[in-house]
Amino acid sequence: MQRYHTPLDLVRMRAPERPVAIARPDAVSVAARWFQDNFKGDVFYAVKANPSPWVIETLAANGVTSFDVASIREIELVAQHAPGSRMAFMHPVKSRAAISAAYFDHGVRTFSLDCHEELDKILDATGGAKDLNLMVRLAVSADGAAYSLAGKFGIDPLQAPSLLLAARRATQELMGVAFHVGSQCMRPTAYQAAMTQASRALVRAGVFADVVDVGGGFPSVYPGMTPPALEDYMDSIERGFAEMMVHETTELWCEPGRALVAEASSVLAKVELRKGDALYLNEGSYGTMFDAAHAKWPFPVKMMRRQDDDAHEVEGPLKPYRFYGPTCDSIDHMPGPFWLPEDVREGDYIEIGMLGAYGVAMSTGFNGFGEVETISVEDAPMASMYGLARRSIAKPRSDLQNVVKLSRARGKKRRKK
Ligand SMILES: *Cc1c(COP(=O)(O)O)cnc(C)c1O
């Protein structure tokens, strides 16, 4: 991975023709250390949010050596880039071949399930192993989340007792409950509420859990989405855990994806054409900007221009734009609004921020596009939950700036007490 001081240096020195993924490993380090310092349990990184080797290596180097994996390819990735780390196979529906390979070839002992059939499958595919950690995935309310993850997986807590009992009987090692409150969860109390539901299911089953896994869902900062401080989420989890019927020795786990990586990547795209307020870019929704099209998220942006073998950042006055990606599909449209200088023109470069989670991970090769080179930089991300952000980008109407200020102020207040 080539290193530059800032994205502007990349524009100045290389004038890249193709989109470039910009990695900020320092942002991953800071987030990894924050979770270890503030979450009172074990932190598993959900690999699907961003499976880049540099992410896995940076996390491992900063103490996150547990990984939530969902496929054999993810298991191989972790084995290669963070050898010796602990993996939990948390996809509730797995192939027999994947279960066997995980157990026998990669030493995976932790598996999730949400029905009796999957429990039987896991026991069968591991040769009746007695040393499994079995995690029962519950479907809980996803009211406060931008993306619900309860529709597809998880057993209704009211139906869960017989499955909890079966899982308890099937292993001499750990039996746990897991859930996911939904991705980009904006309501800290969602965790406590889910833990209450989990606790009731355990009481009805008459079993104790050895592990309570509160899943992912921890938010990041996007324009127009102002999450409460991450400390509030930790408080909610602590309260929820204190109220649960558990042993003294019951372990608390979490599986953050987004919150560990969202800040740590942006993408540098080039304007191929401007038509009024529509900018046609060389990067789009079949590349790294899936959420900009399909969830209509207005990611933060800034503009750089090359002139006379040099490059500079262009600032206000700003106006709203929408983007089109490079493919021929009309779905490849990102409504924004993206606030950029009034005189954007062909050849200008646009850095799109906060694409570290479910951004660089989503890129396809559709229509012959999607080949993205990755470089690293040392400057701060566009926005941060960890007080890292540089001056915000969308200056005049900066919800982003306010968000950052807010989370900083909260961070300070908490540190004092
Ligand atoms: C996707 C996923 C995560 C990560 O979710 P985030 O919202 O990115 O934190 C964690 N656990 C499971 C089981 C998942 O499917």
Side-chain angles (χ1 to χ4, degrees):
M1 198 155 60
Q2 283 187 32
R3 292 178 61 170
Y4 296 85
H5 184 50
T6 64
L8 189 60
D9 285 345
L10 168 70
V11 171
R12 184 180 291 121
M13 292 154 78
R14 289 258 313 272
E17 256 313 301
R18 284 193 305 219
V20 180
I22 297 170
R24 292 185 171 84
D26 292 349
V28 171
S29 311
V30 168
R33 289 197 293 267
W34 191 93
F35 262 86
Q36 288 170 94
D37 290 347
N38 291 277
F39 182 77
K40 306 235 156 55
D42 295 359
V43 180
F44 289 70
Y45 170 59
V47 173
K48 79 169 184 286
N50 187 334
S52 306
W54 68 266
V55 167
I56 294 167
E57 286 164 10
T58 306
L59 286 168
N62 285 279
V64 174
T65 53
S66 298
F67 294 86
D68 160 4
V69 291
S71 63
I72 285 297
R73 185 73 196 102
E74 286 186 356
I75 290 173
E76 288 168 353
L77 254 178
V78 171
Q80 185 183 348
H81 295 285
S85 55
R86 175 170 58 156
M87 289 185 245
F89 204 157
M90 297 305 285
H91 194 313
V93 181
K94 301 161 284 300
S95 78
R96 281 171 200 270
I99 297 166
S100 293
Y103 183 84
F104 292 108
D105 302 343
H106 295 283
V108 176
R109 291 293 175 268
T110 303
F111 295 84
S112 86
L113 56 111
D114 66 1
C115 62
H116 290 276
E117 291 82 351
E118 185 75 9
L119 174 58
D120 295 343
K121 203 200 279 178
I122 294 168
L123 296 174
D124 198 40
T126 56
K130 287 277 175 281
D131 60 348
L132 299 170
N133 305 319
L134 297 170
M135 309 292 291
V136 176
R137 170 84 171 261
L138 303 174
V140 298
S141 158
D143 281 352
Y147 275 107
S148 169
L149 287 166
K152 185 168 177 182
F153 298 126
I155 185 167
D156 181 332
L158 292 171
Q159 316 289 319
S162 85
L163 186 58
L164 289 166
L165 206 55
R168 173 78 286 170
R169 288 187 177 138
T171 181
Q172 280 141 32
E173 291 298 321
L174 309 179
M175 190 282 290
V177 285
F179 54 79
H180 198 301
V181 296
S183 203
Q184 184 68 11
C185 177
M186 301 293 282
R187 223 161 30 91
T189 52
Y191 289 86
Q192 194 182 352
M195 292 165 98
T196 303
Q197 284 184 277
S199 190
R200 286 194 190 132
L202 288 163
V203 169
R204 274 195 301 273
V207 297
F208 281 100
D210 306 308
V211 181
V212 175
D213 178 350
V214 300
F218 304 97
S220 188
V221 188
Y222 303 94
M225 268 185 280
T226 311
L230 285 174
E231 284 89 346
D232 294 354
Y233 292 77
M234 301 299 125
D235 290 349
S236 170
I237 290 166
E238 253 175 80
R239 279 196 301 275
F241 198 46
E243 288 167 4
M244 284 188 83
M245 277 274 295
V246 289
H247 294 299
E248 293 256 293
T249 54
T250 297
E251 298 176 22
L252 189 60
W253 295 2
C254 69
E255 306 164 359
R258 181 186 304 280
L260 287 176
V261 294
E263 301 175 10
S265 282
S266 55
V267 169
L268 186 77
K270 193 175 176 191
V271 178
E272 306 289 18
L273 187 79
R274 172 173 176 180
K275 282 185 194 168
D277 68 347
L279 301 179
Y280 289 71
L281 307 182
N282 62 354
E283 176 65 357
S285 66
Y286 287 93
T288 55
M289 297 182 71
F290 184 95
D291 280 333
H294 300 285
K296 298 187 168 48
W297 284 13
F299 288 88
V301 287
K302 60 183 280 198
M303 184 194 129
M304 289 163 264
R305 175 168 290 163
R306 262 183 74 84
Q307 225 160 18
D308 310 324
D309 286 334
D310 200 359
H312 58 281
E313 233 180 279
V314 182
E315 304 190 336
L318 306 183
K319 66 172 281 244
Y321 291 89
R322 59 208 161 85
F323 293 162
Y324 285 101
T327 71
C328 302
D329 191 337
S330 49
I331 290 173
D332 200 357
H333 169 232
M334 295 145 279
F338 301 101
W339 290 81
L340 288 162
E342 287 171 341
D343 71 331
V344 178
R345 60 186 192 224
E346 182 198 343
D348 286 340
Y349 286 91
I350 296 176
E351 183 186 355
I352 302 126
M354 311 303 285
L355 288 173
Y358 310 109
V360 293
M362 307 296 276
S363 206
T364 75
F366 178 51
N367 229 174
F369 300 100
E371 209 175 303
V372 178
E373 175 197 3
T374 303
I375 60 109
S376 74
V377 294
E378 294 158 356
D379 65 348
M382 285 201 198
S384 179
M385 295 296 285
Y386 308 97
L388 281 177
R390 63 187 174 197
R391 177 184 51 75
S392 170
I393 307 310
K395 268 185 298 179
R397 46 179 312 283
S398 184
D399 10 19
L400 202 56
Q401 201 164 26
N402 294 335
V403 169
V404 171
K405 272 192 201 139
L406 192 70
S407 61
R408 271 194 191 147
R410 284 188 185 169
K412 266 188 210 132
K413 203 170 68 200
R414 285 184 178 272
R415 270 194 291 281
K416 266 190 219 140
K417 72 174 187 201

